[in-house]
Amino acid sequence: MHAGEVCPSRRTQPLGQPASDGCGAGIGPHGDLGQDARPLNGGGPIWAIFDAAAVEREAAAQQPDAVALGGYLMQLGEVPYLEAWELQRSLAGAVSQGAIPDTVLLLEHPPVVTLGRRTEAAELHVPEGAGVEVVETDRGGKSTYHAPGQLVCYPILDLRRHGRDVKAYVRDLEDALIRTVEPFGLAGERIEGLTGVWLQRPPRKLASIGVH
C-alpha cells in the first residue's frame, strides 16, 4: 500500500513527529501511525493516516519484544474493501515484527461480497449491474456481504502473545460480541458446529467471523 490517507480526514502529520494535540501514536523516528491514532483506552473518533513504508522501516529497526503493552484503535469510517485489506496486511507485518502493538480497525465498507476459502459457486447470487463488488479473500469461511451501516472490526493481533490457539481466539471473539450486544437488549448466542453469533427463534446471524 502506498503512503497516504485511508479515511476522510484531510489532516496530515510529518513522519517521525508526535501529534500536536497530545493524543498521537508516533512509532519512533522513522514513522508515524497518524495524527489521530491513539491507544485503545483513548476516547473519541480517530481518523488515522498511515504510512506503510515507514512502519516497515521501523519494524526492521526494532526487536519483536520492543513493543509496550497496550494497543491501537483506529476508527476509519467507510473504506473500500481492497484498500482496507492492504492496510491490514501492512499493519500485520508491523505487528508481527514488533514495530507497533496489537491494532484494532473499526470501519464500514461500500457494498461488497467477500469470498472465503469455503465459498461454493452456488451460494453467490449477485444480479448483473447491482453495484456490488465481489472479492476473493484468503480468510476462512464462506461468502459474506458488507455494506454501509454494518460495523466491521478487524483485530490485528500477534497470537504469540495471546496463547497461539486459533480456535480459542475465535471463541473469545464470539464471547466479546455476545457481551457487546447485551446492553442493547440483544441475546447473542452460539450455534453448535458453526462460527459466529446468532439471534434465536428464528435463527438470524448477528455477526460473522473470519480469520486470515
Side-chain angles (χ1 to χ4, degrees):
M1 176 179 177
H2 65 280
E5 292 186 36
V6 244
C7 63
S9 174
R10 284 298 177 190
R11 291 172 290 177
T12 58
Q13 183 71 18
L15 296 180
Q17 296 185 17
S20 58
D21 62 1
C23 66
I27 60 171
H30 306 293
D32 195 321
L33 277 180
Q35 183 170 1
D36 289 324
R38 68 181 67 184
L40 283 173
N41 59 359
I46 303 148
W47 302 105
I49 299 163
F50 179 72
D51 186 335
V55 168
E56 290 169 2
R57 290 195 299 271
E58 186 70 15
Q62 296 193 29
Q63 296 297 321
D65 59 356
V67 174
L69 294 177
Y72 293 133
L73 171 64
M74 298 182 184
Q75 298 182 29
L76 305 180
E78 187 175 310
V79 183
Y81 184 84
L82 289 175
E83 288 185 23
W85 193 4
E86 287 302 311
L87 174 58
Q88 291 174 71
R89 290 166 66 91
S90 296
L91 287 171
V95 169
S96 68
Q97 295 180 62
I100 60 174
D102 293 338
T103 298
V104 174
L105 308 181
L106 294 175
L107 51 82
E108 300 176 21
H109 290 307
V112 59
V113 175
T114 62
L115 309 181
R117 292 189 297 269
R118 294 194 298 110
T119 300
E120 300 174 1
E123 71 184 73
L124 190 61
H125 302 284
V126 179
E128 187 175 351
V132 177
E133 188 177 14
V134 178
V135 179
E136 293 188 16
T137 77
D138 60 358
R139 65 165 171 79
K142 296 192 173 186
S143 59
T144 300
Y145 176 67
H146 301 292
Q150 178 196 63
L151 179 64
V152 182
C153 176
Y154 292 117
I156 302 170
L157 312 178
D158 185 347
L159 288 185
R160 292 174 297 183
R161 300 197 290 265
H162 298 278
R164 298 175 180 265
D165 188 329
V166 175
K167 289 184 178 180
Y169 168 63
V170 171
R171 300 290 87 78
D172 288 343
L173 290 177
E174 291 172 341
D175 285 339
L177 287 161
I178 290 169
R179 293 196 304 270
T180 297
V181 302
E182 185 177 9
F184 297 94
L186 299 175
E189 299 180 19
R190 293 188 178 94
I191 293 181
E192 185 68 28
L194 300 176
T195 298
V197 175
W198 306 74
L199 299 177
Q200 294 284 25
R201 290 181 292 276
R204 291 152 290 160
K205 196 165 193 179
L206 181 65
S208 299
I209 297 175
V211 177
H212 291 260

